[in-house]
Amino acid sequence: MNFISNKYFVNLNREETVKYLLIEKHIKKLIDTNKIEDGEKLPSIREMAEFLNVNKITVVNAYKRLQAEGYAAQKIGSGTYAKKRDINKNFSREYSKVLKKISSDEVKNYIDFTGETPSGEFFQISFFKSVLNEVLDRDGSSALICQESLGYDGLRNSISDVFWNGNIDKDDILIVSGAQQGIDVVSKAILNTNDTVIVEKPTYSGALSVFKWRRTEIIETPIEKDGINIDNLEKILKKNKVKCFYTMSYFQNPTGISYSNEKKRQILRLADIYDFYIIEDDYLSELIYDDSIKYSSFKSLDSSDRVVYIKSFSKIFLPGIRIGYLIPPKKFKESIQNSKINTDISTSSLMQRALDLYIRKGLWRSYINDLTVVYKRRYVYMKKCIDKYLKNQVEFVEPGGGLHFYLKINQNIVIDSIELFRKSKNRRVLITPGTLFYKVPSEGKKYFKIGFSHVDEKNIESGIQILSELIIM
């Protein structure tokens, strides 16, 4: 409490403006500059009021504001204590503002490692244009006017035939506007306030936001090289009544991890035993570069109808078309369908019909095959550059597919991912800090994600060289 006689407070009682705001401002400055240490007890209200020659109510108001802004915590019967604010908690807003500020024209002047969808340069515009024209010639105004609440019948048939070999009934398929809406629709239908949801640690920030908005109890479980730790999962299940487990089965965002079939089966077995449901976000599973990785979703292994399967075409196809689909368990089919209808009635009829025809003509398979060749080359090159320039600075697990790498800064290096983001932005390189993927943001301060979907080989090398320079500065 020695700071009570600190010179920073000397002129407070001479000011004519609102005094409690000045007290708050000065204490915040002292905490931010470590003049007051985290956890240090602040003077009592009486002591502070006497020292500054102000009314006790003035000090009470100042302390209340400090608590409201996360700079102080009150312990009943003990007093008020300084609290070092976690700057990571507010970083998501800063990150979002930076990306919004950099317009589509300006981003060309950056090496953008933040992209999460394929670049438009590889999309076969002429083919899609011809498909759109064919749909309009075939269906006329119906392509623009008709709205089917569950989705266009033809597209649901195509999904069943092409992606599920007819093993999923088209009436069990619900068309949604991308994976994010799918997660939101499912959450509204089956999750209530205080329900418990298990998520991977770290996990997709969009899913975390949805679960927080639903006021669920979120429990994280660390992810390993082939999926979450099963023993840890079962410990959680024994202690908690869990409603859902949210997972990204392939090239998980952000870690890039894919689940082994053995772990999928173990989790499905536990879902039966402990009566919970699996929300499977099938993310970028089309882009497999490592031949040892074989595709087999949780849903395809599910014999007890425990999986809510969500797939987005927007992630791998055109983000602008905003189309995805989900397959719910029979138990939640009606409630999930109603949740979707209450959200936006229907997804674009024209785009659904165009996508259906695109799939039927075999253009989808052709596009994915071409995309895999291009991105495998970039994947291999980015790994080579990481090994060359960041070898002694980071560690990582090779994902074997997808569109990004998740890197951990070595513990002996001082810089964290937020500082690296800010410094690299000034050098016109954009990265995604790991703090965005954790329930407690500070746990991701040593991690960052770099993607290669919007960056050619020349810029991949230049960008990683710059990151290497900044990490060791």
Side-chain angles (χ1 to χ4, degrees):
M1 292 202 311
N2 292 335
F3 66 84
I4 192 169
S5 58
N6 196 292
K7 63 181 179 181
Y8 292 98
F9 284 101
V10 169
N11 294 320
L12 269 174
N13 57 357
R14 299 177 189 172
E15 299 287 349
E16 298 300 324
T17 53
V18 182
K19 292 179 180 178
Y20 74 90
L21 293 176
L22 288 167
I23 296 170
E24 176 209 7
K25 180 180 176 182
H26 279 269
I27 294 177
K28 281 165 67 174
K29 183 177 180 180
L30 292 170
I31 294 171
D32 285 338
T33 56
N34 295 317
K35 299 287 191 310
I36 298 177
E37 295 181 1
D38 186 30
E40 186 172 349
K41 188 175 181 180
L42 298 179
S44 68
I45 292 169
R46 180 185 58 77
E47 288 176 315
M48 186 68 87
E50 289 178 358
F51 175 74
L52 297 176
N53 194 27
V54 296
N55 192 292
K56 289 181 183 177
I57 298 300
T58 302
V59 178
V60 169
N61 288 336
Y63 281 11
K64 281 183 178 178
R65 284 183 62 88
L66 288 168
Q67 290 172 48
E69 295 191 28
Y71 276 93
Q74 187 179 43
K75 296 181 182 179
I76 304 300
S78 178
T80 303
Y81 292 79
K83 189 176 175 184
K84 188 72 175 177
R85 206 170 52 148
D86 185 354
I87 59 169
N88 297 311
K89 288 183 179 178
N90 298 314
F91 176 72
S92 58
R93 266 178 279 175
E94 177 188 340
Y95 177 78
S96 180
K97 282 181 182 177
V98 168
L99 296 193
K100 286 177 182 176
K101 205 172 181 181
I102 300 171
S103 67
S104 56
D105 290 332
E106 286 181 74
V107 82
K108 294 173 185 175
N109 299 319
Y110 286 78
I111 296 173
D112 183 12
F113 288 140
T114 67
E116 294 189 354
T117 56
S119 172
E121 67 182 297
F122 304 123
F123 185 65
Q124 303 157 329
I125 293 293
S126 58
F127 289 145
F128 196 68
K129 183 179 179 181
S130 67
V131 166
L132 277 171
N133 288 333
E134 189 173 338
V135 167
L136 289 168
D137 289 340
R138 183 191 71 190
D139 300 344
S141 61
S142 295
L144 301 169
I145 296 172
C146 285
Q147 291 186 335
E148 298 170 80
S149 57
L150 301 185
Y152 175 54
D153 200 64
L155 178 57
R156 290 187 288 129
N157 268 318
S158 290
I159 290 169
S160 173
D161 293 343
V162 176
F163 301 115
W164 295 92
N165 297 317
N167 293 322
I168 298 291
D169 192 305
K170 60 104 175 172
D171 290 331
D172 291 332
I173 296 169
L174 176 65
I175 304 299
V176 292
S177 300
Q180 184 67 31
Q181 187 188 65
I183 297 167
D184 184 61
V185 164
V186 169
S187 296
K188 287 176 180 175
I190 68 179
L191 291 174
N192 298 309
T193 300
N194 296 326
D195 278 346
T196 299
V197 178
I198 298 176
V199 300
E200 296 150 340
K201 180 180 180 179
T203 192
Y204 169 50
S205 58
L208 276 178
S209 297
V210 170
F211 299 142
K212 286 177 181 177
W213 183 79
R214 293 296 297 166
R215 296 183 181 178
T216 61
E217 179 68 30
I218 300 170
I219 299 177
E220 296 174 305
T221 183
I223 193 164
E224 301 174 330
K225 290 183 179 181
D226 62 345
I228 59 170
N229 182 288
I230 300 299
D231 290 339
N232 189 61
L233 173 62
E234 189 156 18
K235 284 178 184 176
I236 294 170
L237 294 169
K238 285 177 178 177
K239 292 180 180 178
N240 302 272
K241 176 59 180 170
V242 172
K243 191 72 169 282
C244 290
F245 165 52
Y246 170 76
T247 178
M248 304 180 88
S249 46
Y250 282 86
F251 314 123
Q252 194 253 12
N253 187 8
T255 64
I257 294 296
S258 296
Y259 277 73
S260 65
N261 280 353
E262 177 58 28
K263 282 204 170 176
K264 288 174 195 165
R265 291 189 181 96
Q266 288 177 314
I267 293 168
L268 285 164
R269 181 181 62 82
L270 291 175
D272 266 347
I273 295 170
Y274 292 97
D275 189 25
F276 67 91
Y277 289 83
I278 298 164
I279 302 174
E280 179 181 17
D281 186 350
D282 187 356
Y283 177 72
L284 296 180
S285 60
E286 296 85 352
L287 297 179
I288 297 175
Y289 316 131
D290 185 338
D291 292 338
S292 68
I293 299 175
K294 306 299 180 185
Y295 179 71
S296 183
S297 63
F298 274 94
K299 188 67 178 177
S300 67
L301 300 172
D302 179 21
S303 59
S304 301
D305 208 21
R306 286 278 167 188
V307 177
V308 183
Y309 178 87
I310 301 174
K311 182 68 184 177
S312 174
F313 290 109
S314 305
K315 291 290 185 188
I316 194 72
F317 199 45
L318 280 182
I321 69 170
R322 303 305 305 155
I323 294 177
Y325 69 96
L326 63 83
I327 305 170
K330 295 272 193 298
K331 179 177 179 179
F332 298 116
K333 181 177 174 179
E334 186 176 351
S335 61
I336 287 175
Q337 288 175 350
N338 290 337
S339 177
K340 168 62 169 72
I341 293 166
N342 291 335
T343 299
D344 70 355
I345 302 178
S346 70
T347 304
S348 169
S349 177
L350 175 60
M351 287 303 164
Q352 288 187 65
R353 290 164 190 253
L355 179 57
D356 168 45
L357 191 56
Y358 191 85
I359 292 170
R360 288 285 179 191
K361 284 177 173 285
L363 295 171
W364 171 264
R365 291 292 186 200
S366 173
Y367 168 69
I368 294 300
N369 290 339
D370 291 346
L371 206 62
T372 302
V373 171
V374 171
Y375 280 126
K376 182 175 181 179
R377 189 165 58 242
R378 288 192 185 179
Y379 168 85
V380 170
Y381 193 75
M382 178 171 270
K383 181 185 176 301
K384 179 181 174 183
C385 290
I386 292 170
D387 288 338
K388 181 178 179 180
Y389 297 105
L390 296 173
K391 185 176 181 180
N392 298 317
Q393 300 170 18
V394 304
E395 55 186 77
F396 65 99
V397 175
E398 294 180 38
L403 293 172
H404 67 267
F405 287 83
Y406 193 56
L407 310 178
K408 181 181 181 181
I409 302 169
N410 290 339
Q411 290 298 327
N412 61 327
I413 295 174
V414 175
I415 196 169
D416 64 33
S417 61
I418 290 182
E419 187 182 358
L420 182 61
F421 168 79
R422 291 168 178 156
K423 286 184 174 181
S424 62
K425 179 194 67 176
N426 293 335
R427 294 281 299 274
R428 296 193 172 270
V429 176
L430 300 174
I431 63 168
T432 306
T435 55
L436 299 172
F437 304 106
Y438 291 79
K439 181 181 171 185
V440 179
S442 58
E443 293 184 21
K445 66 182 180 181
K446 280 293 183 178
Y447 296 86
F448 65 98
K449 187 174 80 168
I450 52 174
F452 47 85
S453 63
H454 294 179
V455 193
D456 60 23
E457 291 181 10
K458 178 184 174 183
N459 282 320
I460 285 173
E461 183 162 19
S462 297
I464 290 177
Q465 276 186 286
I466 290 170
L467 292 175
S468 176
E469 293 168 12
L470 295 173
I471 288 172
I472 61 175
M473 280 178 62

